[in-house]
Amino acid sequence: MGLLKIKLYGSIIGPQVLIKTIQNLKGSLLIKLPFYFYILILISIGASVLFFFYSLENLSVSYDNFFQQSIKFTFFQAILSTSISITFGFILSLCLYLSNIKSQYITSTLNFFFIAPVLFISYGVIFIHGSNGLMQKIFQLFNLDFSYSFFGLVGIIYVTSFFNIALSANYFYRKLINIPENYLKLLTANKINFYLALTKYLRPIILNNIIILVSMILIFCISNFTIIYIFANSPLLTTIELAIYQKISFEANIVDAVIYGFIQSGLIILILIPILKLKNNFELLTLKQSEIYRIYKPNLLSTMILIIFCFYFFTPCLVILKGLFNFNLDLLFSLGTLTAFVYSFLIAISSLFISLLISLSSLFITRGLYEKKSHLNNYVILTIFIISFIPSITLSAILFLINSNLNFILPNFLIVSFINSFLLTPLIFLFLIPKFMENNRYERLKVIQFKIAPLVRLIKIDFLKFKKELFIICSSCFVLSMGDLTSITLFNSNSFKTVPYLISQLYSNYRYDDAFFLLAVFVIFIVFFLYSINRVFYKNAGIK
Amino acid sequence: MRLLTLLIVFILPTFLGAKEQLNILTYDSFTSEWGPGPSIEKSFEEICNCEINWSTADSSGALLSRVKLTNNKEGFDILLGIDDSLMSEAKDTKLFSNHSLSQDSLSSLNIDWSDKIFVPFDYGYFSFIYNSSKLTNPPKSFDELAARDDIRIIIMDPRTSTPGLGLAKWIYQLKGDDSKGFWISLQDQIVITSKSWSDGYGLFLEGEGDVVLSYSTSPAYHAIAESDENYKAILFEEGHAEQIEVLGVLKNAPNKKLAEQFVNFTITKGFQDHIPYGNWMYPIIDGVEGDSDFYKYAPVPNSLDRVYGSAEDKALWINYWSSSID
């Protein structure tokens, strides 16, 4: 239809205009469209919320004791978990740096633990540390009376830290392996041992920009939902995110839910101010990875610590073995399971596609503004991050309300994809921006000199620059989207379920063997997927 | 002309053969393959020339919330699965219409029922369940339970779970204005307050507690479905609070006639036969299939008077609980 229109348009106005139209299409407008579309959605969401509050006859919000407690607990667990994650992440990175393990294996394993489905780790921890868990069985075997419960604050911190220790260890490890070889040679030439080098000379390098890592982990912990849902054993251990879920799901109180969401968003923005202050510092997350120059050797202490961390990280994975022992072909090929896999797959693909379009478009606009030395690029970055300030449960509630006013014209599948994509977009944006901005001034000169169209620049120059990073972040986002259990808790129906939701359903109905089996299949699929991506697209360059 | 012929051949039969759709919103476990939903669907579809479309919410508490949020714009005909403690709140929404069952039909039930909007489909009694192989001397009364510091209790949050609210009601029925004090004496032993009954019961089975708030019918599930007779209900001398699960037809139901037909069907054997072994609750008519075995493992306990709590009552019961944990 579009081509037909262009043909008609060309026959009436002439070939010159037609060529110009095509050139315009290849131009910046086409690339900017997804971002404009994203802005339109943001405005629509904002307007709907404003209209909703405007149409209320009386606005009363309940700030009961439970909500006040949830604010306190949200920050308490977030600060505690962040402190633990940064400290232990740092210690782990040092031990890994001293070890003889290949850096490729280290970074890919830490990457996997960071993006592993929350359900997998949570159920894995229960399988090991629950009252009927493996550890208790071992204690009973040796007649040791050592009972403990993992439900409550201990479980919440243990599982939350799991992901964030992996993230911070990865971050510090990358810093360590990127210390220039000459610098290390200079240190050894002056007979400075590792401990002294670390405390005196390497510390500034390692701790540079640590505020970004702290902010990111804090935000992850504040937005904690699934872990709190599984491990909280008391109504006093509730985060704002869970309080919002309760308001929507059980009290049908969308006003309180949205206002709670705004309170949480405001608090997250306060935390994010340090990131926003770092203007135009695009070297945030990725680092060039060189071959490690090994001068420091592992010692007994570092090896012992590494063994403890291996126990911490790998024991929950034993739930996969438990799952495989409960092999159930009927369940695997049942209509429910197949449908859940198809929906998980479709949601992951569509949310990835949407977030990729938006993030590439916004990267393009950011670079254009940066090249023009315009301060507006900060606002573009802000609009990309603004949606991640809103708790996903609140966002789900708002979209549910909008869809309800539209007589449910939008299918739940589309809404879940959009919510996931909005949360993935900032991640893709952050990950790609260093490569995207690389050599931009030189490139701009060449682009002007050879009159290269923006679309051509994006495909033939930019894509080649960030191809590897793109595949890595896309595969990670795909896995994150597949394993998400947030928005689906509000939008599921009998015919619309994802794999994590089905697993949680089986688990809730005490079909533990089936739940663990499906979990094992799901995790194996994810590992295989990540491995394939790694092999196909990142074979010769090591993993970042 | 060819196009018209094609339309007649392919599309017309679709319209002619199209079955009426009945949209039912219920809680998750009711429609699961191990719940009563699939069998009930089969039985009803045999007599109605229709198709049942089930939609689900996490728990019975979330059902009412969903229709309230949207004013039932999703087009459900029936809401199935709220309990008697939520009936008053549900009526306040004015989203439900009166049912067409006659008083004669209601008098044939094995429970007293006269409500004009909601129709019961099963009932049970709240009770604490324990594993007799682990807990050999269970308490005989609520006071004894509160005094036994060696017993770890799992309950549900009354704000999010109907059994949780049922416990709050039960304690209020027994203790009245002393409920707060009783809750305080119980709090030391409560190790988990879960969001939903299924979460709490799952944690009990995982060994996280010695007793769990559930129904007096729960042991029947373990005995019949799992051949495990170790699980037993603690039967308190002072009596147990009752829970009646109900269904109601929505005012803006797209297919009201079919919805009414389904409501009539719920009090017949076609529906009730699947309740004891599907939903593991007591059926509301006598003489259903295999009920002797069921009642053997799930004897009916002493019942307290039935209470239909208003929104204010509900707030009061919850307040006694919440003030004990501040």
Side-chain angles (χ1 to χ4, degrees):
Chain A
M1 193 64 189
L3 274 174
L4 187 70
K5 271 186 183 170
I6 290 171
K7 273 183 188 170
L8 285 171
Y9 187 58
S11 64
I12 296 162
I13 300 171
Q16 288 289 328
V17 181
L18 179 67
I19 291 165
K20 214 168 183 179
T21 312
I22 294 168
Q23 275 176 345
N24 278 339
L25 275 175
K26 283 165 79 180
S28 58
L29 182 67
L30 187 71
I31 307 171
K32 287 175 182 171
L33 268 178
F35 182 73
Y36 293 151
F37 178 65
Y38 170 74
I39 296 288
L40 190 73
I41 293 176
L42 281 191
I43 293 169
S44 310
I45 292 172
S48 307
V49 172
L50 283 177
F51 179 75
F52 174 72
F53 280 105
Y54 181 74
S55 61
L56 287 175
E57 284 171 7
N58 56 347
L59 178 67
S60 63
V61 183
S62 60
Y63 298 103
D64 56 15
N65 285 346
F66 284 113
F67 182 61
Q68 288 167 18
Q69 178 61 32
S70 74
I71 295 178
K72 281 184 211 161
F73 182 70
T74 301
F75 282 90
F76 173 69
Q77 62 90 24
I79 291 167
L80 185 61
S81 181
T82 306
S83 314
I84 289 171
S85 305
I86 299 281
T87 312
F88 285 99
F90 182 66
I91 295 168
L92 175 61
S93 69
L94 293 178
C95 300
L96 289 169
Y97 180 64
L98 292 175
S99 74
N100 294 320
I101 307 165
K102 270 190 170 183
S103 63
Q104 186 185 340
Y105 296 140
I106 291 172
T107 48
S108 52
T109 309
L110 291 174
N111 272 348
F112 171 73
F113 284 133
F114 176 58
I115 61 169
V118 178
L119 269 190
F120 163 48
I121 303 303
S122 302
Y123 290 164
V125 167
I126 295 171
F127 172 66
I128 298 296
H129 297 290
S131 294
N132 281 346
L134 206 61
M135 290 302 289
Q136 285 299 327
K137 281 175 184 151
I138 292 169
F139 290 146
Q140 281 165 14
L141 204 68
F142 293 101
N143 286 326
L144 295 169
D145 186 20
F146 184 61
S147 59
Y148 59 92
S149 175
F150 243 69
F151 288 88
L153 186 64
V154 177
I156 291 169
I157 298 298
Y158 190 92
V159 181
T160 310
S161 302
F162 185 97
F163 302 96
N164 296 323
I165 288 176
L167 174 71
S168 57
N170 208 347
Y171 179 86
F172 290 125
Y173 182 74
R174 283 157 189 264
K175 291 254 182 187
L176 284 165
I177 62 174
N178 279 282
I179 295 167
E181 190 181 322
N182 289 341
Y183 193 69
L184 293 172
K185 280 180 178 167
L186 194 70
L187 291 174
T188 40
N190 288 294
K191 292 181 179 169
I192 294 171
N193 66 23
F194 182 64
Y195 178 73
L196 193 63
L198 191 73
T199 49
K200 273 200 160 180
Y201 304 101
L202 303 180
R203 198 178 58 185
I205 303 171
I206 299 165
L207 299 183
N208 179 33
N209 274 346
I210 193 178
I211 188 77
I212 296 159
L213 180 71
V214 173
S215 308
M216 277 178 70
I217 295 178
L218 262 177
I219 292 165
F220 290 146
C221 295
I222 288 171
S223 318
N224 213 340
F225 174 76
T226 312
I227 298 170
I228 307 286
Y229 193 93
I230 295 173
F231 284 94
N233 65 343
S234 152
L236 298 177
L237 304 186
T238 303
T239 54
I240 305 174
E241 192 96 356
L242 206 62
I244 293 167
Y245 171 73
Q246 277 173 215
K247 283 285 169 191
I248 299 163
S249 279
F250 303 105
E251 295 174 31
N253 192 339
I254 205 112
V255 179
D256 278 11
V258 173
I259 289 174
Y260 288 7
F262 283 142
I263 291 170
Q264 180 170 332
S265 309
L267 295 169
I268 291 179
I269 289 170
L270 281 177
I271 293 165
L272 268 176
I273 285 173
I275 291 186
L276 299 173
K277 271 188 175 174
L278 294 165
K279 284 179 189 170
N280 302 331
N281 185 352
F282 298 117
E283 295 289 331
L284 299 182
L285 284 177
T286 52
L287 289 163
K288 289 169 192 148
Q289 188 174 319
S290 55
E291 278 303 308
I292 306 177
Y293 173 65
R294 294 187 188 279
I295 54 164
Y296 299 111
K297 304 286 174 216
N299 54 40
L300 185 66
L301 182 67
S302 73
T303 312
M304 289 293 287
I305 294 173
L306 214 52
I307 290 168
I308 293 169
F309 274 110
C310 281
F311 176 81
Y312 175 67
F313 278 110
F314 287 101
T315 46
C317 301
L318 290 175
V319 75
I320 298 177
L321 289 178
K322 161 87 178 159
L324 290 178
F325 278 121
N326 299 313
F327 191 82
N328 185 341
L329 204 64
D330 290 342
L331 174 71
L332 189 61
F333 289 104
S334 69
L335 189 64
T337 308
L338 292 176
T339 314
F341 263 100
V342 169
Y343 270 124
S344 292
F345 205 74
L346 286 176
I347 286 171
I349 287 176
S350 53
S351 53
L352 183 62
F353 180 70
I354 297 165
S355 51
L356 207 55
L357 281 180
I358 299 170
S359 45
L360 285 179
S361 174
S362 51
L363 280 168
F364 177 81
I365 293 171
T366 307
R367 184 173 62 184
L369 293 167
Y370 181 67
E371 285 170 349
K372 288 175 191 165
K373 293 180 179 167
S374 166
H375 288 294
L376 284 173
N377 66 345
N378 285 333
Y379 293 102
V380 176
I381 297 173
L382 188 70
T383 43
I384 286 299
F385 282 94
I386 203 158
I387 206 91
S388 61
F389 299 159
I390 305 171
S392 55
I393 288 288
T394 308
L395 191 62
S396 305
I398 293 169
L399 290 177
F400 184 84
L401 199 72
I402 294 172
N403 201 23
S404 160
N405 290 330
L406 295 171
N407 282 327
F408 295 95
I409 197 167
L410 301 170
N412 287 354
F413 161 75
L414 198 66
I415 297 176
V416 173
S417 300
F418 264 108
I419 293 166
N420 282 5
S421 68
F422 288 161
L423 302 170
L424 296 178
T425 302
L427 283 179
I428 299 177
F429 184 90
L430 256 183
F431 201 80
L432 292 185
I433 197 164
K435 278 282 173 185
F436 205 83
M437 300 302 286
E438 210 173 80
N439 297 329
N440 68 85
R441 291 190 198 283
Y442 172 76
E443 255 178 43
R444 187 163 188 253
L445 289 174
K446 294 290 170 195
V447 164
I448 295 167
Q449 191 183 348
F450 296 109
K451 291 180 182 169
I452 299 168
L455 194 61
V456 175
R457 184 184 176 185
L458 189 70
I459 296 168
K460 293 201 167 170
I461 301 171
D462 293 327
F463 182 68
L464 292 177
K465 272 197 304 185
F466 60 62
K467 192 171 73 177
K468 286 161 192 167
E469 283 75 10
L470 186 71
F471 285 120
I472 294 300
I473 190 67
C474 284
S475 54
S476 301
C477 286
F478 183 87
V479 170
L480 280 172
S481 186
M482 269 197 105
D484 185 63
L485 190 63
T486 315
S487 50
I488 194 73
T489 51
L490 282 186
F491 290 101
N492 70 82
S493 69
N494 219 24
S495 56
F496 175 53
K497 281 171 193 161
T498 58
V499 179
Y501 188 77
L502 182 64
I503 293 168
S504 73
Q505 240 187 345
L506 289 169
Y507 193 85
S508 295
N509 287 287
Y510 330 121
R511 292 176 62 185
Y512 301 123
D513 290 349
D514 289 344
F516 289 156
F517 167 64
L518 218 51
L519 191 66
V521 172
F522 188 50
V523 172
I524 288 168
F525 170 77
I526 285 170
V527 172
F528 181 72
F529 173 78
L530 288 172
Y531 177 75
S532 308
I533 292 283
N534 185 29
R535 292 283 294 174
V536 173
F537 300 110
Y538 217 60
K539 207 172 177 180
N540 303 315
I543 295 174
K544 284 188 177 179
Chain B
M1 190 61 194
R2 277 182 189 170
L3 187 70
L4 190 68
T5 318
L6 275 173
L7 279 173
I8 292 167
V9 170
F10 289 106
I11 297 178
L12 199 61
T14 321
F15 283 105
L16 289 174
K19 288 181 176 174
E20 285 188 285
Q21 307 284 313
L22 180 68
N23 299 312
I24 305 177
L25 177 66
T26 186
Y27 51 84
D28 225 16
S29 57
F30 193 89
T31 61
S32 61
E33 53 192 275
W34 51 91
S39 319
I40 288 170
E41 179 181 336
K42 203 176 157 196
S43 304
F44 186 61
E45 284 178 355
E46 277 171 11
I47 57 166
C48 71
N49 189 31
C50 69
E51 270 177 17
I52 294 181
N53 295 326
W54 301 102
S55 294
T56 54
D58 282 355
S59 62
S60 57
L63 292 175
L64 186 60
S65 178
R66 187 153 158 188
V67 289
K68 263 169 87 177
L69 270 176
T70 62
N71 282 327
N72 191 31
K73 279 185 190 169
E74 288 178 276
F76 298 118
D77 297 300
I78 286 172
L79 190 143
L80 182 150
I82 59 167
D83 78 347
D84 52 327
S85 63
L86 290 173
M87 269 169 44
S88 165
E89 198 180 328
K91 283 177 185 171
D92 290 344
T93 64
K94 298 189 171 30
L95 287 170
F96 296 89
S97 61
N98 287 359
H99 61 75
S100 58
L101 287 178
S102 65
Q103 198 50 50
D104 283 351
S105 308
L106 291 175
S107 58
S108 67
L109 308 181
N110 59 16
I111 55 168
D112 291 333
W113 194 260
S114 56
D115 195 82
K116 288 187 169 62
I117 293 179
F118 293 102
V119 175
F121 65 89
D122 65 22
Y123 73 104
Y125 293 92
F126 296 114
S127 181
F128 287 96
I129 305 299
Y130 69 102
N131 185 335
S132 59
S133 68
K134 290 178 182 172
L135 185 68
T136 46
N137 56 338
K140 291 182 176 61
S141 67
F142 239 132
D143 289 325
E144 197 189 329
L145 175 69
R148 288 277 296 271
D149 288 341
D150 59 316
I151 295 177
R152 297 171 300 155
I153 305 170
I154 297 176
I155 65 160
M156 290 94 220
D157 190 327
R159 297 167 303 160
T160 58
S161 150
T162 45
L165 185 62
L167 176 66
K169 177 177 82 171
W170 189 7
I171 287 177
Y172 183 76
Q173 277 186 275
L174 292 173
K175 304 291 172 186
D177 292 338
D178 296 332
S179 296
K180 185 183 171 182
F182 186 76
W183 269 114
I184 290 170
S185 66
L186 210 57
Q187 282 300 342
D188 290 346
Q189 293 145 268
I190 297 173
V191 286
I192 289 173
T193 306
S194 66
K195 295 275 172 292
S196 67
W197 171 82
S198 58
D199 288 342
Y201 204 80
L203 292 170
F204 164 70
L205 295 178
E206 283 288 282
E208 297 296 333
D210 301 311
V211 299
V212 62
L213 174 67
S214 187
Y215 302 94
S216 60
T217 47
S218 302
Y221 166 77
H222 294 288
I224 296 166
E226 295 178 339
S227 306
D228 185 349
E229 295 185 22
N230 283 323
Y231 292 95
K232 292 195 165 68
I234 301 175
L235 300 179
F236 288 152
E237 295 149 347
E238 57 265 55
H240 293 247
E242 186 184 38
Q243 183 191 42
I244 303 170
E245 290 195 287
V246 300
L247 78 160
V249 178
L250 286 139
K251 260 183 189 163
N252 55 356
N255 204 336
K256 234 171 188 171
K257 203 177 156 192
L258 196 58
E260 280 301 338
Q261 194 185 342
F262 186 82
V263 170
N264 280 290
F265 175 71
T266 53
I267 58 167
T268 64
K269 271 172 69 60
F271 185 103
Q272 292 297 319
D273 273 350
H274 307 291
I275 289 298
Y277 296 94
N279 222 25
W280 301 98
M281 294 285 270
Y282 299 117
I284 50 149
I285 58 170
D286 294 325
V288 300
E289 242 172 59
D291 64 350
S292 56
D293 265 1
F294 182 77
Y295 282 103
K296 182 183 146 196
Y297 293 110
V300 179
N302 292 338
S303 173
L304 292 171
D305 290 341
R306 192 181 298 163
V307 175
Y308 296 110
S310 63
E312 289 76 29
D313 292 333
K314 189 181 148 189
L316 180 72
W317 304 335
I318 291 175
N319 191 43
Y320 279 125
W321 163 78
S322 62
S323 59
S324 72
I325 51 169
D326 278 348

